[in-house]
Amino acid sequence: MLEPLAEYHSIDDDELAARFMVARTVPVETTEGELEDLWKEHDEAMEEFRARWEERPAPGDIEETSPNLLDLKLEIARRILRECTFCERRCRVDRTREDGFCRVPIKPRISSEFLHMGEERVLVPSHTVFFCGCTFRCVYCQNWDIAFQPTNGVYVEPESLARVIRHRRSQGARNVNWVGGDPTPNIHYILEVLKRLDVNVPQIWNSNMYLTEEAMRLLDGVIDLYLTDFKYGNDECAERYSNAPNYWEIVTRNHREADRQCDLIVRHLVLPGNVECCTFPILEWIAEELGTDTPLNVMPQYRPEHRAYEYPEINRRPSADELEEAWERARELGFRYYRL
């Protein structure tokens, strides 16, 4: 349906192997040694990965080796976990011993998993895996019971979740949709699951994109589609509503990198009173930096939740005029797709 998502559709149709499966065919010499040396080996292995990816391997072409690039990514993630820099909070906490800013335990909790029919049309049925905990503190969070209660939910052994994913794929799931909260604190766990997964299925990273460059390097060669939540057009709004310093630089950097790595769908939730300061700059940046073929979902479904009542300017739904202004700007800029 959407031309820019050709690779995603090919994986979904089992014509092309998912990236995590290709990563398991790339040999590495070792997963031991200093972290700096592991990163060097990782980057060399990624060159081999890209060469193999250009050959467009089918699932039947996959011959796993050991140790492989996915094993190496997992070991690096485990090392980072001891001085955590998965997100740009960079709290550097040893999460094997204590909680960081996100308060997500080393064994993350899953709030729910199910075949979601409410996502973008090209994604449904989407096998959504909702993690508890988040790297943001959005005052209007609609999933606040998940995002701000990281020890709720249940821990699922990676092998067990791999079996669930296999079952959901047989039920018609078009993808695995890692979401929350936010999936970023759980990169180590997700790689553990993918190490055990033996079914070809696209991997979706559904995130606020407040990741570090190191985290994005780990996801390269693993994720097949980024489903991003591009919230703010300036740092002031990001700090006021989500306690997210240096937002614009971080999130634009990661959108460029996501677009380089694989397919991309950008979501933007229109906030009341924030069309000119947030919506317009975001649309203009995407048009200039990523192109107007980028699948874009300018979303109207904001409602005041959680602590929004403390902020009068967002303690209401966006008006019909505000939504039309947002969509009209997308049309003016030439976006082919802006309501998915």
Side-chain angles (χ1 to χ4, degrees):
M1 176 181 167
L2 296 180
E3 295 172 16
L5 304 182
E7 288 184 344
Y8 162 76
H9 287 298
S10 294
I11 299 168
D12 178 30
D13 293 338
D14 280 329
E15 298 168 354
L16 180 63
R19 284 172 172 80
F20 79 91
M21 297 187 74
V22 178
R24 297 202 309 221
T25 73
V26 178
V28 298
E29 291 186 8
T30 182
T31 59
E32 299 178 356
E34 297 297 322
L35 181 57
E36 181 179 357
D37 295 329
L38 295 183
W39 272 123
K40 289 179 181 178
E41 183 161 5
H42 173 274
D43 293 345
E44 291 173 1
M46 283 301 300
E47 292 299 318
E48 175 66 20
F49 169 87
R50 293 185 185 102
R52 295 189 182 203
W53 181 254
E54 286 301 315
E55 297 172 358
R56 293 297 186 260
D61 299 331
I62 297 301
E63 295 184 7
E64 184 173 341
T65 187
S66 181
N68 58 54
L69 176 57
L70 190 63
D71 294 326
L72 180 58
K73 286 178 178 288
L74 175 56
E75 179 58 27
I76 293 173
R78 288 170 176 160
R79 301 287 185 90
I80 291 175
L81 197 65
R82 298 173 195 162
E83 193 176 348
C84 193
T85 56
F86 283 153
C87 88
E88 282 287 2
R89 305 287 176 182
R90 292 188 175 271
C91 52
R92 298 188 182 276
V93 165
D94 183 352
R95 288 178 54 206
T96 67
R97 297 176 178 272
E98 59 181 307
D99 297 338
F101 177 91
C102 63
R103 297 187 294 116
V104 173
I106 187 173
K107 291 186 174 182
R109 306 296 197 272
I110 293 175
S111 171
S112 62
E113 62 77 27
F114 57 96
L115 291 182
H116 200 329
M117 304 303 293
E119 301 288 73
E120 285 77 2
R121 292 190 300 275
V122 294
L123 305 182
V124 297
S126 181
H127 181 196
T128 47
V129 180
F130 281 85
F131 288 105
C132 297
C134 190
T135 57
F136 276 8
R137 294 292 181 264
C138 300
V139 298
Y140 54 84
C141 183
Q142 296 178 6
N143 284 339
W144 60 270
D145 55 331
I146 297 173
F148 303 142
Q149 300 293 333
T151 57
N152 284 355
V154 297
Y155 174 69
V156 180
E157 291 289 344
E159 178 62 42
S160 297
L161 185 55
R163 288 196 296 268
V164 172
I165 292 171
R166 192 179 310 125
H167 176 63
R168 293 299 191 193
R169 182 66 161 161
S170 72
Q171 291 181 316
R174 301 188 64 184
N175 49 69
V176 181
N177 189 340
W178 303 104
V179 63
D182 197 86
T184 302
N186 311 300
I187 290 175
H188 62 293
Y189 173 81
I190 292 168
L191 293 174
E192 289 271 15
V193 175
L194 296 182
K195 178 179 170 64
R196 294 160 172 79
L197 185 60
D198 60 0
V199 63
N200 191 60
V201 57
Q203 301 297 309
I204 293 180
W205 193 257
N206 187 338
S207 171
N208 60 33
M209 298 305 286
Y210 204 63
L211 295 81
T212 60
E213 292 175 283
E214 304 96 282
M216 292 295 291
R217 287 166 74 185
L218 290 177
L219 297 181
D220 191 7
V222 174
I223 296 302
D224 300 299
L225 187 150
Y226 284 90
L227 180 59
T228 73
D229 183 10
F230 202 153
K231 293 180 179 292
Y232 307 111
N234 62 85
D235 288 344
E236 182 179 352
C237 290
E239 290 208 45
R240 176 169 173 79
Y241 299 129
S242 293
N243 185 18
N246 200 25
Y247 177 87
W248 182 258
E249 179 183 349
I250 293 165
V251 172
T252 54
R253 177 198 73 204
N254 286 340
H255 273 82
R256 290 190 191 96
E257 176 61 13
D259 186 55
R260 184 197 67 78
Q261 290 183 16
C262 61
D263 286 332
L264 171 67
I265 295 175
V266 182
R267 286 172 168 170
H268 170 65
L269 181 66
V270 178
L271 297 179
N274 285 258
V275 173
E276 290 191 5
C277 64
C278 289
T279 302
F280 288 177
I282 288 170
L283 297 182
E284 290 158 7
W285 184 88
I286 296 170
E288 181 176 350
E289 297 288 337
L290 307 181
T292 54
D293 281 348
T294 302
L296 172 67
N297 195 357
V298 181
M299 302 168 67
Q301 56 261 51
Y302 173 85
R303 62 183 187 273
E305 292 277 357
H306 191 43
R307 294 172 48 221
Y309 67 90
E310 298 176 15
Y311 299 79
E313 70 275 18
I314 61 169
N315 192 26
R316 62 174 177 86
R317 291 179 179 270
S319 68
D321 286 345
E322 287 173 318
L323 294 173
E324 186 52 43
E325 286 175 9
W327 294 326
E328 177 60 27
R329 187 62 183 136
R331 288 191 291 267
E332 290 174 352
L333 289 167
F335 282 98
R336 295 176 64 191
Y337 318 102
Y338 57 89
R339 295 185 68 181
L340 302 182

